[in-house]
Amino acid sequence: EHKELAFVEINIQGSVANILIDEIKDKPKMVSDDDIPVNIIASRYGVIRKINVFDGWENVKIGDAVMKGDLLVSAVYEDRYKKLTLKHARAEIIAETDYFIQIEFPLKQTIKEINGIRKKTYEINILGKNFLLGNNNNDLPKEKTNYDLYFFWIKLPINVIETAYFNVKEKNITYNFEQSRQGAFFILEEKEKTEMKDMEIISKKTEEIIKNDKYIIKAYYTVLMDIAEEQAIESNIPWKNTDDMS
């Protein structure tokens, strides 16, 4: 990881390039423990299928049906002397539950096509720190090209980044039934990969309709997912952030 630069100077004398670099001095990092006692509650309804408690005391068992907000793992510990202590509960609670995704793919769309280069900008990168020459235009599609700099055969710790910004042209498109269906299912599959990446799909059912010039897919799932959600608590019970409960 490169530190930010406070000063860079390049002096070329004959065949020698002298590079002077002064780095910004890091401020001392302040260390603070902002950990607080929390319970684990249910983020949604479901039937408990698996319980892994890493810290805290489970309040449910496998096969229990729970509703959103129910206490799953308690932060409150009572020892053999009836003394209460709080902890930061941590757990993985896998439940069988329902999940729903709806995709709407417009039959008529306006797309943007690249239509030539509008402008180019340049950045100088010195030891990981970029210096922009010109103004960015993040509203336009762009392409970046990286060039290394050499002094004779010596590669300098400097490179130039060229950014080409392209003109765009709008184009109206009307999709037929099969094109719309394929587009909608492609979006659904991509959404499953990201939104449901930590879930196990047990079953899936889809409904397809065309309404208001949109191809609509309604996907109904039965899934296994972690429904553990932290909930901070306030209490006068002593707070002890440690695994030693003896």
Side-chain angles (χ1 to χ4, degrees):
E1 181 178 281
H2 296 294
K3 296 181 179 180
E4 294 188 354
L5 304 179
F7 175 79
V8 176
E9 180 180 332
I10 303 175
N11 297 315
I12 298 178
Q13 299 175 342
S15 62
V16 178
N18 295 313
I19 302 176
L20 304 178
I21 298 173
D22 188 14
E23 297 177 338
I24 295 175
K25 301 299 186 294
D26 291 337
K27 295 180 179 179
K29 293 183 179 180
M30 302 301 293
V31 179
S32 62
D33 184 5
D34 59 353
D35 207 3
I36 57 174
V38 300
N39 286 326
I40 299 296
I41 63 172
S43 62
R44 59 193 298 123
Y45 75 91
V47 178
I48 306 299
R49 297 304 185 200
K50 185 178 179 181
I51 300 173
N52 288 320
V53 176
F54 311 113
D55 227 342
W57 296 269
E58 61 188 74
N59 199 56
V60 291
K61 60 182 182 297
I62 292 176
D64 284 354
V66 297
M67 299 300 294
K68 181 178 179 179
D70 283 356
L71 178 64
L72 304 179
V73 181
S74 174
V76 180
Y77 168 77
E78 183 180 34
D79 63 19
R80 59 181 177 273
Y81 304 108
K82 303 300 181 180
K83 181 182 177 180
L84 299 180
T85 305
L86 286 179
K87 295 197 70 180
H88 185 121
R90 295 177 176 86
E92 178 188 52
I93 309 295
I94 304 299
E96 182 177 325
T97 185
D98 297 330
Y99 203 79
F100 174 74
I101 295 177
Q102 179 167 312
I103 301 297
E104 298 183 357
F105 188 91
L107 303 180
K108 297 179 180 179
Q109 298 185 28
T110 300
I111 65 171
K112 294 181 179 181
E113 293 183 332
I114 293 177
N115 187 27
I117 295 176
R118 173 177 291 189
K119 69 172 186 177
K120 292 183 179 180
T121 61
Y122 297 88
E123 297 172 74
I124 298 177
N125 182 290
I126 304 176
L127 296 178
K129 181 66 176 179
N130 287 358
F131 300 91
L132 178 64
L133 306 177
N135 297 319
N136 284 328
N137 193 333
N138 294 323
D139 295 332
L140 296 176
K142 60 189 176 183
E143 181 179 81
K144 291 192 174 187
T145 306
N146 199 333
Y147 300 99
D148 293 326
L149 293 186
Y150 290 83
F151 181 72
F152 291 102
W153 63 89
I154 303 173
K155 182 179 178 181
L156 301 176
I158 303 171
N159 59 302
V160 176
I161 302 169
E162 177 188 85
T163 303
Y165 294 91
F166 299 95
N167 291 311
V168 293
K169 180 177 66 175
E170 291 188 346
K171 182 178 180 180
N172 296 322
I173 295 180
T174 299
Y175 295 97
N176 60 31
F177 173 86
E178 189 56 34
Q179 290 172 330
S180 301
R181 187 174 188 275
Q182 290 179 359
F185 270 101
F186 175 79
I187 296 173
L188 177 62
E189 290 173 2
E190 293 301 306
K191 199 172 182 67
E192 288 176 349
K193 291 177 184 177
T194 55
E195 190 173 313
M196 304 179 69
K197 61 183 177 64
D198 296 323
M199 305 179 196
E200 179 183 340
I201 298 176
I202 298 175
S203 66
K204 172 182 175 181
K205 181 179 70 173
T206 58
E207 295 179 3
E208 305 171 45
I209 60 173
I210 295 179
K211 184 178 180 181
N212 298 329
D213 284 333
K214 294 178 181 178
Y215 196 97
I216 300 173
I217 299 177
K218 296 181 178 180
Y220 303 88
Y221 305 85
T222 301
V223 300
L224 293 177
M225 64 178 293
D226 187 357
I227 64 169
E229 179 180 301
E230 292 187 354
Q231 182 187 61
I233 58 176
E234 295 183 4
S235 174
N236 293 326
I237 299 174
W239 157 237
K240 186 176 184 181
N241 188 15
T242 174
D243 290 329
D244 182 11
M245 302 311 305
S246 58

